[in-house]
Amino acid sequence: MRTGSLSRVRCCRWRPEERKGGFAACNTSQIGQIVARALALFGPRGRSVAGKLKRQEIRDGSATPFRGKIMERKDIDALRLSVRCAAVREHDGWAIDLKESTRRALKYRRGDAIVIVIHEGKGWFDPLSDAKGDIYSLVGHLENVGFAEALKRIKGLIDFVPTAPVWARLSRARDPAPSIPDRWHSRSAPWQGSPTWRYLTEFRAIPGAILAEARRLGLLREGRAAACGAKHVDNAGGVIGWEERGPEWRGFATGGSKQLFNFGSVGAACIAITEAAIDAMSLAALKAPREGTVYASTGGGWSPATAAAIRAFSARPGMMLVAVTDANAQGEAFAHRIRTIAREGGCDFGRLKPRLDDWNEDLKERERKKRRRIKPGAACPTVASREAALGSRRPLTRPLGEAAAKEGDEKA
């Protein structure tokens, strides 16, 4: 049938004009409009379709990604690769927290809000909520705007170069890496006078008695640049990864998994949950290691395995969960999750906050006050008195949690 003589054409479904439902018959002018719209929306790549741009044009700003109202998928992808999430963060006044950042995860703060940029700036997530995604969802999450408006705002950041450090790691051919347990057992435990031991005692103010007990339990290893490796274990007690913290390095074992670092007796009736192994050992030093208490660490994260391990503790008869996380927004978010697990498990719950930001800061402050109180020429306590035997104090809380319940949300 010739197009010129076409009087009625079926568009998806033909119906007589006097009946309702479906699509009405179209004339030739209406067909032209439909075809034009279809080409604009679904035209094949390579033809002159509205919104077609090259990635270089987007990057150098020589062309706008908006021609009309349509933008091709490849142009959206090119814009995603051209602008990093860190640029959005810094442009909006967020500051990078170098102390809490690693090469793979840059932590940005603005007030109590936190956003962690991952995947070399291509992704992000909010540790205080379930929000995560790419740069488009980041702009939408922060500015509460739709996708079209996010496109416009991201385009304005093409020439913006963030000043925050971006750590890049060169890939090179390697032999198959040994397993996590093999790597752990190949490292030496810290000994008195070793780089890690000196870092923990001199810079972190952790008593030697605490380190000796952690060494006896097989929880610590020497790391690179004096970093301390703190073991995370699964439900069977097997090593699955370790935290690494030192004067120049902070991270987690490559290929490892976070669950819990546990310092204390196996059959404990109370578990005090911190965010770092150094904080767990610092709390043990501040309260004196108490029988019946496990000082645990989530390793700074909250994985499904971490939540499952805490639930396993809550299922024990007479167990009590004590949230001793940091005194900040992230610490409160973790404390809320621990409180929820305790409520679901039907066990007691307590909340204990450090006076400063974390328990290691409290420990170092206590040691500074001790040094100021020692007068010139006064005799210092003997090593034996400072490194007394462990296990001589009562538990952190009573088995039924009465002590922690009285403390409530007061700071230690």
Side-chain angles (χ1 to χ4, degrees), residues 164-195:
V166 178
W167 294 299
R169 184 178 179 180
L170 298 177
S171 60
R172 60 181 184 272
R174 293 183 178 180
D175 296 331
S179 65
I180 290 292
D182 291 340
R183 288 162 54 194
W184 173 261
H185 293 298
S186 66
R187 297 189 174 195
S188 301
W191 64 93
Q192 190 169 0
S194 69

Short mmCIF file of all heavy atoms in Angstrom, two decimals, residues 164-195:
data_model
loop_
_atom_site.label_atom_id
_atom_site.label_comp_id
_atom_site.label_asym_id
_atom_site.label_seq_id
_atom_site.Cartn_x
_atom_site.Cartn_y
_atom_site.Cartn_z
N ALA A 164 41.08 17.31 47.51
CA ALA A 164 41.27 16.21 48.44
C ALA A 164 42.14 15.14 47.80
O ALA A 164 42.09 14.92 46.59
CB ALA A 164 39.92 15.62 48.83
N PRO A 165 42.97 14.45 48.57
CA PRO A 165 43.86 13.43 48.00
C PRO A 165 43.07 12.26 47.46
O PRO A 165 42.11 11.80 48.05
CB PRO A 165 44.73 13.01 49.19
CG PRO A 165 43.91 13.33 50.39
CD PRO A 165 43.13 14.56 50.03
N VAL A 166 43.47 11.79 46.31
CA VAL A 166 42.89 10.59 45.70
C VAL A 166 44.01 9.59 45.54
O VAL A 166 44.91 9.78 44.72
CB VAL A 166 42.24 10.90 44.33
CG1 VAL A 166 41.70 9.62 43.72
CG2 VAL A 166 41.14 11.94 44.50
N TRP A 167 43.98 8.53 46.33
CA TRP A 167 45.04 7.55 46.29
C TRP A 167 44.78 6.56 45.17
O TRP A 167 43.70 5.98 45.08
CB TRP A 167 45.12 6.80 47.62
CG TRP A 167 45.54 7.69 48.74
CD1 TRP A 167 46.70 8.38 48.84
CD2 TRP A 167 44.79 8.00 49.91
NE1 TRP A 167 46.73 9.10 50.00
CE2 TRP A 167 45.58 8.88 50.69
CE3 TRP A 167 43.53 7.60 50.41
CZ2 TRP A 167 45.15 9.37 51.91
CZ3 TRP A 167 43.11 8.10 51.61
CH2 TRP A 167 43.91 8.97 52.36
N ALA A 168 45.75 6.39 44.32
CA ALA A 168 45.64 5.43 43.22
C ALA A 168 46.63 4.30 43.45
O ALA A 168 47.74 4.52 43.93
CB ALA A 168 45.94 6.12 41.88
N ARG A 169 46.24 3.13 43.10
CA ARG A 169 47.09 1.96 43.29
C ARG A 169 47.36 1.31 41.95
O ARG A 169 46.43 0.91 41.25
CB ARG A 169 46.41 0.97 44.23
CG ARG A 169 47.26 -0.24 44.55
CD ARG A 169 46.54 -1.14 45.53
NE ARG A 169 47.31 -2.32 45.85
CZ ARG A 169 46.91 -3.27 46.68
NH1 ARG A 169 45.75 -3.15 47.27
NH2 ARG A 169 47.66 -4.32 46.91
N LEU A 170 48.63 1.23 41.57
CA LEU A 170 48.99 0.63 40.29
C LEU A 170 48.81 -0.87 40.35
O LEU A 170 49.23 -1.52 41.30
CB LEU A 170 50.44 0.97 39.95
CG LEU A 170 50.77 2.47 39.79
CD1 LEU A 170 52.24 2.66 39.53
CD2 LEU A 170 49.93 3.08 38.69
N SER A 171 48.16 -1.39 39.34
CA SER A 171 47.96 -2.83 39.27
C SER A 171 49.15 -3.49 38.59
O SER A 171 49.71 -2.97 37.64
CB SER A 171 46.67 -3.15 38.49
OG SER A 171 46.76 -2.65 37.17
N ARG A 172 49.54 -4.61 39.10
CA ARG A 172 50.65 -5.34 38.51
C ARG A 172 50.40 -6.84 38.65
O ARG A 172 49.64 -7.28 39.52
CB ARG A 172 51.97 -4.97 39.19
CG ARG A 172 52.02 -5.27 40.68
CD ARG A 172 53.36 -4.84 41.26
NE ARG A 172 53.49 -5.20 42.65
CZ ARG A 172 53.09 -4.44 43.66
NH1 ARG A 172 52.51 -3.28 43.41
NH2 ARG A 172 53.25 -4.84 44.91
N ALA A 173 51.04 -7.57 37.80
CA ALA A 173 50.86 -9.02 37.84
C ALA A 173 51.44 -9.59 39.13
O ALA A 173 52.54 -9.23 39.54
CB ALA A 173 51.54 -9.66 36.63
N ARG A 174 50.70 -10.45 39.77
CA ARG A 174 51.13 -11.03 41.02
C ARG A 174 50.88 -12.52 41.02
O ARG A 174 50.04 -13.03 40.28
CB ARG A 174 50.37 -10.41 42.20
CG ARG A 174 50.67 -8.94 42.44
CD ARG A 174 49.93 -8.46 43.66
NE ARG A 174 50.22 -7.06 43.97
CZ ARG A 174 49.70 -6.41 44.99
NH1 ARG A 174 48.86 -7.03 45.80
NH2 ARG A 174 50.02 -5.14 45.21
N ASP A 175 51.63 -13.19 41.85
CA ASP A 175 51.36 -14.60 42.06
C ASP A 175 50.09 -14.74 42.87
O ASP A 175 49.66 -13.81 43.55
CB ASP A 175 52.55 -15.25 42.80
CG ASP A 175 53.81 -15.21 41.97
OD1 ASP A 175 53.70 -15.22 40.73
OD2 ASP A 175 54.91 -15.15 42.57
N PRO A 176 49.45 -15.90 42.81
CA PRO A 176 48.24 -16.10 43.62
C PRO A 176 48.52 -15.79 45.09
O PRO A 176 49.48 -16.29 45.68
CB PRO A 176 47.92 -17.59 43.40
CG PRO A 176 48.53 -17.90 42.06
CD PRO A 176 49.77 -17.06 41.97
N ALA A 177 47.66 -14.94 45.68
CA ALA A 177 47.86 -14.51 47.06
C ALA A 177 47.57 -15.66 48.01
O ALA A 177 46.66 -16.47 47.78
CB ALA A 177 46.95 -13.34 47.37
N PRO A 178 48.33 -15.77 49.11
CA PRO A 178 48.03 -16.79 50.11
C PRO A 178 46.71 -16.50 50.80
O PRO A 178 46.18 -15.39 50.74
CB PRO A 178 49.21 -16.69 51.08
CG PRO A 178 49.75 -15.31 50.88
CD PRO A 178 49.51 -14.98 49.45
N SER A 179 46.19 -17.49 51.46
CA SER A 179 44.90 -17.35 52.12
C SER A 179 45.01 -16.43 53.32
O SER A 179 46.11 -16.14 53.82
CB SER A 179 44.37 -18.71 52.56
OG SER A 179 45.22 -19.28 53.55
N ILE A 180 43.86 -15.97 53.81
CA ILE A 180 43.83 -15.10 54.98
C ILE A 180 44.46 -15.78 56.20
O ILE A 180 45.32 -15.18 56.87
CB ILE A 180 42.39 -14.66 55.28
CG1 ILE A 180 41.89 -13.69 54.20
CG2 ILE A 180 42.28 -13.99 56.65
CD1 ILE A 180 42.57 -12.35 54.18
N PRO A 181 44.11 -17.03 56.53
CA PRO A 181 44.76 -17.67 57.69
C PRO A 181 46.27 -17.82 57.51
O PRO A 181 47.03 -17.61 58.47
CB PRO A 181 44.06 -19.04 57.77
CG PRO A 181 42.74 -18.84 57.12
CD PRO A 181 43.00 -17.86 56.02
N ASP A 182 46.72 -18.14 56.29
CA ASP A 182 48.17 -18.29 56.06
C ASP A 182 48.89 -16.95 56.24
O ASP A 182 49.98 -16.90 56.82
CB ASP A 182 48.43 -18.84 54.67
CG ASP A 182 47.99 -20.30 54.53
OD1 ASP A 182 47.84 -20.96 55.58
OD2 ASP A 182 47.81 -20.77 53.39
N ARG A 183 48.30 -15.89 55.74
CA ARG A 183 48.91 -14.58 55.90
C ARG A 183 48.96 -14.16 57.36
O ARG A 183 49.93 -13.55 57.81
CB ARG A 183 48.13 -13.55 55.07
CG ARG A 183 48.33 -13.68 53.56
CD ARG A 183 47.24 -12.96 52.80
NE ARG A 183 47.11 -11.57 53.20
CZ ARG A 183 46.06 -10.81 52.87
NH1 ARG A 183 45.07 -11.34 52.16
NH2 ARG A 183 46.01 -9.56 53.26
N TRP A 184 47.91 -14.48 58.10
CA TRP A 184 47.88 -14.12 59.52
C TRP A 184 48.96 -14.87 60.30
O TRP A 184 49.70 -14.28 61.08
CB TRP A 184 46.50 -14.40 60.10
CG TRP A 184 46.41 -14.22 61.59
CD1 TRP A 184 46.46 -15.19 62.55
CD2 TRP A 184 46.28 -12.98 62.29
NE1 TRP A 184 46.36 -14.65 63.80
CE2 TRP A 184 46.24 -13.28 63.67
CE3 TRP A 184 46.18 -11.64 61.89
CZ2 TRP A 184 46.12 -12.31 64.65
CZ3 TRP A 184 46.05 -10.67 62.87
CH2 TRP A 184 46.02 -11.00 64.22
N HIS A 185 49.04 -16.18 60.09
CA HIS A 185 49.98 -16.99 60.85
C HIS A 185 51.43 -16.74 60.43
O HIS A 185 52.36 -17.09 61.17
CB HIS A 185 49.64 -18.46 60.72
CG HIS A 185 48.32 -18.82 61.37
ND1 HIS A 185 48.09 -18.68 62.72
CD2 HIS A 185 47.17 -19.32 60.84
CE1 HIS A 185 46.86 -19.06 63.01
NE2 HIS A 185 46.28 -19.45 61.89
N SER A 186 51.64 -16.16 59.26
CA SER A 186 53.00 -15.87 58.82
C SER A 186 53.58 -14.62 59.50
O SER A 186 54.78 -14.38 59.42
CB SER A 186 53.05 -15.70 57.31
OG SER A 186 52.33 -14.54 56.91
N ARG A 187 52.74 -13.85 60.17
CA ARG A 187 53.20 -12.64 60.84
C ARG A 187 53.56 -12.93 62.29
O ARG A 187 53.02 -13.85 62.91
CB ARG A 187 52.12 -11.56 60.79
CG ARG A 187 51.77 -11.10 59.38
CD ARG A 187 50.86 -9.89 59.43
NE ARG A 187 50.61 -9.34 58.10
CZ ARG A 187 50.09 -8.13 57.88
NH1 ARG A 187 49.78 -7.36 58.91
NH2 ARG A 187 49.90 -7.70 56.65
N SER A 188 54.44 -12.11 62.83
CA SER A 188 54.87 -12.28 64.21
C SER A 188 53.94 -11.53 65.15
O SER A 188 53.43 -10.45 64.82
CB SER A 188 56.29 -11.74 64.39
OG SER A 188 57.19 -12.42 63.55
N ALA A 189 53.73 -12.10 66.31
CA ALA A 189 53.00 -11.40 67.35
C ALA A 189 53.89 -10.31 67.93
O ALA A 189 55.11 -10.47 68.01
CB ALA A 189 52.56 -12.37 68.44
N PRO A 190 53.35 -9.16 68.33
CA PRO A 190 54.18 -8.10 68.89
C PRO A 190 54.83 -8.53 70.20
O PRO A 190 54.25 -9.25 71.00
CB PRO A 190 53.19 -6.94 69.10
CG PRO A 190 51.85 -7.58 69.14
CD PRO A 190 51.92 -8.78 68.28
N TRP A 191 56.05 -8.10 70.43
CA TRP A 191 56.78 -8.40 71.66
C TRP A 191 57.25 -7.09 72.27
O TRP A 191 57.23 -6.04 71.62
CB TRP A 191 57.96 -9.32 71.35
CG TRP A 191 59.01 -8.72 70.47
CD1 TRP A 191 60.13 -8.05 70.86
CD2 TRP A 191 59.01 -8.68 69.04
NE1 TRP A 191 60.84 -7.61 69.78
CE2 TRP A 191 60.18 -7.99 68.64
CE3 TRP A 191 58.13 -9.17 68.05
CZ2 TRP A 191 60.48 -7.78 67.30
CZ3 TRP A 191 58.45 -8.94 66.73
CH2 TRP A 191 59.61 -8.27 66.35
N GLN A 192 57.62 -7.14 73.51
CA GLN A 192 58.03 -5.93 74.19
C GLN A 192 59.24 -5.31 73.50
O GLN A 192 60.29 -5.94 73.36
CB GLN A 192 58.37 -6.24 75.66
CG GLN A 192 58.58 -4.99 76.50
CD GLN A 192 58.64 -5.31 77.97
OE1 GLN A 192 58.53 -6.46 78.37
NE2 GLN A 192 58.82 -4.28 78.80
N GLY A 193 59.08 -4.06 73.05
CA GLY A 193 60.13 -3.36 72.33
C GLY A 193 59.98 -3.41 70.82
O GLY A 193 60.73 -2.71 70.12
N SER A 194 59.05 -4.20 70.29
CA SER A 194 58.84 -4.25 68.84
C SER A 194 58.17 -2.97 68.37
O SER A 194 57.60 -2.21 69.17
CB SER A 194 57.98 -5.47 68.47
OG SER A 194 56.65 -5.28 68.92
N PRO A 195 58.21 -2.66 67.05
CA PRO A 195 57.60 -1.42 66.57
C PRO A 195 56.12 -1.30 66.93
O PRO A 195 55.67 -0.23 67.34
CB PRO A 195 57.81 -1.50 65.05
CG PRO A 195 59.03 -2.34 64.88
CD PRO A 195 58.97 -3.36 65.98
#
